[in-house]
Amino acid sequence: MSLENALEAVRRDLRSTGGIKLRISEEPATSDPGYESVLLLSGRRSTTGVLAPTAMSADERLVQVADQVQDFVLEELGRLGLPATWPECPEHPASHPLSAVLTSSGPRWQCPKSSKNISVIGELPR
């Protein structure tokens, strides 16, 4: 899976859950040929790199990208004074975000307390 496709999957989840809109620079975060990379642009005019190692499997890359974007989103939500629980765990509302994990069924958003798989990454329900 390309970095572009992985980012689009996470953007679908952001859109379906009312999360923030990602602003992405086409400028790479690194020139290392072992990575695909982009810069995420913060509202405070800083940037955060998203790195996807080319040697990883497609599923591993999706989990890696989802985890990095989630970290960025949580920081942005905190900066905006909003609850830092994206994506929010439906089993424990207003408690904690889901975790991006690679399961035997593929990339999933999972509750970190119960280990219940909530959704395929890129397919969070509205």
Side-chain angles (χ1 to χ4, degrees), residues 11-13 29 61 67 75 78 80 86 99 110:
R11 285 174 121 169
R12 279 194 305 273
D13 287 342
R61 285 166 58 94
D67 186 58
E75 286 183 29
L80 295 168
W86 185 85
S99 297
Q110 186 179 84

Side-chain angles (χ1 to χ4, degrees), residues 108-121:
R108 299 290 188 267
W109 289 114
Q110 186 179 84
C111 172
K113 287 190 177 181
S114 70
S115 297
K116 179 180 178 183
N117 292 330
I118 303 299
S119 173
V120 171
I121 295 175

Side-chain angles (χ1 to χ4, degrees), residues 79-109:
R79 185 186 63 76
L80 295 168
L82 298 170
T85 55
W86 185 85
E88 184 174 56
C89 178
E91 290 192 325
H92 308 100
S95 174
H96 59 263
L98 298 171
S99 297
V101 298
L102 182 56
T103 70
S104 59
S105 301
R108 299 290 188 267
W109 289 114

Side-chain angles (χ1 to χ4, degrees), residues 1 5-6 9-10 57-67 107 121:
M1 172 174 290
N5 290 341
V10 178
S57 72
D59 287 349
E60 290 171 319
R61 285 166 58 94
L62 178 53
V63 170
Q64 175 100 358
V65 169
D67 186 58
I121 295 175

Side-chain angles (χ1 to χ4, degrees), residues 43-59:
R44 62 179 186 266
R45 299 189 185 270
S46 64
T47 60
T48 298
V50 174
L51 303 162
T54 56
M56 284 184 165
S57 72
D59 287 349

